[in-house]
Amino acid sequence: MLLLRTRVIPPAEMLETLKEWWEPLLKKSRTIRLGVGGCVRFQIGELDMVVDFPRAKVREYAGEECIYWYTIPADLVSTNIRDHEIDWSNSIFLSMQFQVGRSGKFNEFLTTFLKCLSVDRIEYVENWYQEQTDQTEDAEIGDWVVQRRCPHLRADLTKTGKVDEDGVLTCSMHDWEWDLKTGRCLSTSGHPIRSTKIGEATDPVQQEFGAFRSAIRPSSRSAEGSERGADLPQLSDTAAPEAEYAVDQGPVQI
């Protein structure tokens, strides 16, 4: 199939567009930024820019030392901008119409970022990384103690959750709902939530403190396993994983 490309965006306009698009995502990508750990150079037609992952900045290249450098046709990037393509691994890297060099080992975090150029994907992946610490948290929302992370895309329910008088929790990120009396998701099958009404808790720690409880589970991963590419979240066009996916079952998919 022939890809219909758009006009080439002028360098200054392209830089400003990518800056406005990528910098908010970089600011949300703490784990990814630490994982990349350096600057990445993009030569796109007449535009020579750098993505500074540690500082969450996109700017013109000024001779910085870079760990990766890409050369990509300007019309291909212009088409991605026009279409607001959120997965450059498909639209650019599978096209084989680019050149790349690197200093050091292959960096899976960089590839992950370029597959996740939307707020939903970045938040999903960052929450996935956070879950690999094997820490679970409960938080008080209204008269209920619930798991802090939404079973859908792991949003922080202390910020996005609201419980009505019938005990129905709504996560404002995607307006999914749960019946806290049963833990059942009212928006789709699966995705149950852990919940207990304050005063009815059976956990002695929860009874005593109510508002907040943390539990640390021992990790089943080896120290080496956390560095393997296979342990990184695998992204696709499929739906979010069911809540029963466990950490030790390997990569999750969206």
Side-chain angles (χ1 to χ4, degrees), residues 9 55 70-71 78 104 108 131 162 181 190-191 221 240 248:
I9 300 174
R55 294 177 175 81
Y70 290 97
T71 302
S78 297
E108 186 74 32
E131 285 188 345
K162 184 176 181 180
K181 295 183 292 293
H191 301 277
R221 293 178 182 266
D248 58 3

Side-chain angles (χ1 to χ4, degrees), residues 83-101:
D83 298 340
H84 203 76
E85 175 57 57
I86 65 174
D87 184 350
W88 284 27
S89 68
N90 282 329
S91 59
I92 289 182
F93 300 140
L94 290 183
S95 76
M96 303 302 291
Q97 299 181 56
F98 71 100
Q99 295 178 322
V100 62

Side-chain angles (χ1 to χ4, degrees), residues 19 28 44 87 91 94 102 146 163-164 186 210 222 235 251:
K19 181 182 179 71
K28 291 179 175 289
I44 307 170
D87 184 350
S91 59
L94 290 183
R102 70 175 190 257
V146 302
V163 181
D164 67 16
L186 303 177
S222 65
L235 301 169

Side-chain angles (χ1 to χ4, degrees), residues 189-225:
S189 59
H191 301 277
I193 196 168
R194 183 176 66 253
S195 59
T196 308
K197 193 163 187 179
I198 295 174
E200 299 177 359
T202 58
D203 186 324
V205 178
Q206 187 170 302
Q207 287 178 330
E208 181 176 357
F209 296 105
F212 185 82
R213 176 169 60 87
S214 296
I216 306 296
R217 296 174 295 165
S219 175
S220 61
R221 293 178 182 266
S222 65
E224 295 82 2

Side-chain angles (χ1 to χ4, degrees), residues 103-123:
S103 174
K105 296 181 179 180
F106 174 74
N107 192 302
E108 186 74 32
F109 290 94
L110 174 58
T111 303
T112 298
F113 178 77
L114 294 172
K115 294 168 70 173
C116 300
L117 298 174
S118 71
V119 171
D120 281 357
R121 285 197 169 204
I122 284 294
E123 289 184 344

Side-chain angles (χ1 to χ4, degrees), residues 29-143:
S29 306
R30 182 176 182 274
T31 305
I32 290 175
R33 287 192 286 114
L34 290 172
V36 176
C39 293
V40 178
R41 182 181 181 185
F42 289 84
Q43 294 175 281
I44 307 170
E46 297 180 9
L47 173 62
D48 197 353
M49 76 173 200
V50 67
V51 180
D52 186 336
F53 278 85
R55 294 177 175 81
K57 295 293 184 182
V58 176
R59 59 174 181 268
E60 288 189 21
Y61 176 67
E64 302 95 330
E65 182 179 352
C66 296
I67 60 171
Y68 263 77
W69 45 95
Y70 290 97
T71 302
I72 308 173
D75 61 339
L76 190 53
V77 172
S78 297
T79 301
N80 268 18
I81 291 173
R82 178 198 67 189
D83 298 340
H84 203 76
E85 175 57 57
I86 65 174
D87 184 350
W88 284 27
S89 68
N90 282 329
S91 59
I92 289 182
F93 300 140
L94 290 183
S95 76
M96 303 302 291
Q97 299 181 56
F98 71 100
Q99 295 178 322
V100 62
R102 70 175 190 257
S103 174
K105 296 181 179 180
F106 174 74
N107 192 302
E108 186 74 32
F109 290 94
L110 174 58
T111 303
T112 298
F113 178 77
L114 294 172
K115 294 168 70 173
C116 300
L117 298 174
S118 71
V119 171
D120 281 357
R121 285 197 169 204
I122 284 294
E123 289 184 344
Y124 177 84
V125 170
E126 283 292 316
N127 289 330
W128 187 92
Y129 284 132
Q130 184 172 345
E131 285 188 345
Q132 307 318 297
T133 62
D134 283 343
Q135 178 174 337
T136 59
E137 294 180 340
D138 290 344
E140 180 183 316
I141 303 177
D143 295 330

